[in-house]
Amino acid sequence: MAQLQRLQSAEITEIVTEVGRLTTGLYVFPEVAEQIAGRLGEALSRGRYRGAEDPEALGRLVTEDLQSVNGDGHLRLKFHPRAIPAEQEDGALLAELTRAADLSLGGVPRIERLEGGVALLKLAPILFPLDMTGESLNAALNLVAPAEALILDLRECVGGHPYTTAHICGHFFDEPTHLSTLYDREEGAEQQFWSPALVSGPRFGGSKPIYVLISKATFSGGEALAYDLQQRGRAVVIGEASGGGANPRRGFTLHPHLEATIPTARSINPVSGGNWEGTGVLPDTGTDPALAHEVAHRAALAEVVRRGGDSPSAEEARRVLGGGAEDDSAAAGARL
């Protein structure tokens, strides 16, 4: 990759000033926005960014200052190694999504049948907009629908669209279910998101066990899916606390390699009345994320056995667990 052109002093001032203006005008928490903009202005005045002629270095310094008040992980001056579109809003995001979709089979990099009729579905790196990868996602959800239990791997899922989250949840509830509400500062209005009444193809349904794997890398839309299922009592979450980003953002290109990402809304869960901002989604069963797959599979097998049945998958689950799964300690802490 060619060496990036150095930023001039006037460019640095213009970029930082525009970040402050966007934050003040759009950030979902106006009082915090004023504090952040003030810090950016003070840092600019005392020369903090004077030596940041490299776009990546400037992005890192400005991001540190943007997040210094309340630690919002969505509030950034994001550096992009590849040149991003010049469109004012979300051009960089669209380019990034298109590339990521091409590299991940539409956001469904792994589907596998595990022993005992347990399906593993990995969604990463993004829960893409449905008009981009909806066919791939529907095919994956239809494929795992007959499984006895589902392991949903979100350990590397770092974002997503709320409509996609609701669409996925439609396969996991039998009736339309209120999942979340987004409050938008600019509109001064709330928008509810519900799981849809109808889905394309067979439905996994609202009663079979689901285990969701998360890690500290799980962020934003990936966290939303885990949190929505957890708060509705629909899934057991296994792993470690996730990244803690609950405020949806908009993106603005300020330089061929720098994008200001400004959270303009906040998520409100109808069960908890709050969200996972700052804390992350907290697992029901804490474990090293590297072991979460094994822990979830063991718990899923035990639950399949506990539910009984004479299907070939249930018989297989009993064989794998050696016939004594009803009292298995992993299952005891992870039953629905």
Side-chain angles (χ1 to χ4, degrees), residues 75 77 79 85 94 121 144 161 200 204 260 289 292 297 301 310 319 325:
L75 188 59
L77 181 60
F79 171 74
L94 180 59
L121 173 60
V144 302
H161 196 283
S200 174
F204 182 81
H297 188 204
L301 289 170
D310 57 0
R319 287 197 303 272

Side-chain angles (χ1 to χ4, degrees), residues 10-313:
E11 288 182 285
I12 293 173
T13 298
E14 182 180 354
I15 290 169
V16 175
T17 300
E18 182 63 7
V19 172
R21 187 190 72 81
L22 289 169
T23 302
T24 301
L26 297 174
Y27 187 49
V28 64
F29 303 113
E31 293 182 0
V32 177
E34 293 289 344
Q35 296 180 53
I36 292 171
R39 293 197 179 190
L40 290 177
E42 292 172 4
L44 188 62
S45 297
R46 69 173 187 268
R48 170 167 161 78
Y49 312 120
R50 188 176 296 123
E53 298 175 349
D54 174 62
E56 184 174 8
L58 180 63
R60 182 172 59 254
L61 289 175
V62 173
T63 297
E64 288 175 1
D65 293 339
L66 286 169
Q67 297 178 3
S68 64
V69 175
N70 64 345
D72 191 329
H74 278 110
L75 188 59
R76 297 170 290 178
L77 181 60
K78 184 176 180 179
F79 171 74
H80 293 268
R82 296 176 181 81
I84 56 180
E87 286 85 355
Q88 177 66 10
E89 185 172 344
D90 286 335
L93 178 61
L94 180 59
E96 189 174 310
L97 289 179
T98 301
R99 175 176 171 79
D102 288 344
L103 293 174
S104 64
L105 296 177
V108 188
R110 183 181 178 189
I111 304 176
E112 183 178 352
R113 182 198 181 274
L114 306 178
E115 291 178 306
V118 180
L120 172 67
L121 173 60
K122 180 176 181 177
L123 300 179
I126 300 285
L127 306 179
F128 294 99
L130 293 173
D131 60 358
M132 181 177 290
T133 63
E135 291 185 4
S136 298
L137 183 60
N138 284 335
L141 291 166
N142 292 343
L143 189 61
V144 302
E148 302 279 355
L150 175 65
I151 298 174
L152 187 61
D153 187 352
L154 302 178
R155 288 174 293 180
E156 298 176 13
C157 188
V158 300
H161 196 283
Y163 284 112
T164 305
T165 298
H167 179 81
I168 294 169
C169 287
H171 287 259
F172 303 148
F173 292 94
D174 294 325
E175 301 291 339
T177 302
H178 183 196
L179 302 169
S180 65
T181 298
L182 287 184
Y183 167 75
D184 185 276
R185 171 189 169 180
E186 192 171 22
E187 298 294 332
E190 294 183 347
Q191 180 180 7
Q192 293 186 352
F193 290 87
W194 290 65
S195 64
L198 301 175
V199 298
S200 174
R203 191 192 303 258
F204 182 81
S207 60
K208 292 186 290 186
I210 300 175
Y211 303 87
V212 177
L213 312 185
I214 62 171
S215 72
K216 64 181 179 181
T218 310
F219 194 66
S220 191
E223 293 178 287
L225 179 54
Y227 193 78
D228 290 348
L229 292 172
Q230 182 189 56
Q231 291 300 311
R232 282 295 181 185
R234 186 61 193 92
V236 173
V237 177
I238 299 175
E240 66 182 352
S242 59
N247 303 323
R249 59 84 152 186
R250 290 163 61 186
F252 302 87
T253 299
L254 303 186
H255 175 273
H257 294 275
L258 291 171
E259 175 196 18
T261 69
I262 312 296
T264 59
R266 61 184 175 91
S267 179
I268 306 168
N269 184 271
V271 177
S272 69
N275 58 44
W276 62 95
E277 178 66 29
T279 64
V281 180
L282 304 180
D284 300 301
T285 301
T287 188
D288 183 335
L291 304 176
H293 171 280
E294 180 180 343
V295 172
H297 188 204
R298 184 80 177 173
L301 289 170
E303 184 64 15
V304 170
V305 170
R306 188 189 70 82
R307 288 168 175 249
D310 57 0
S311 69
S313 291

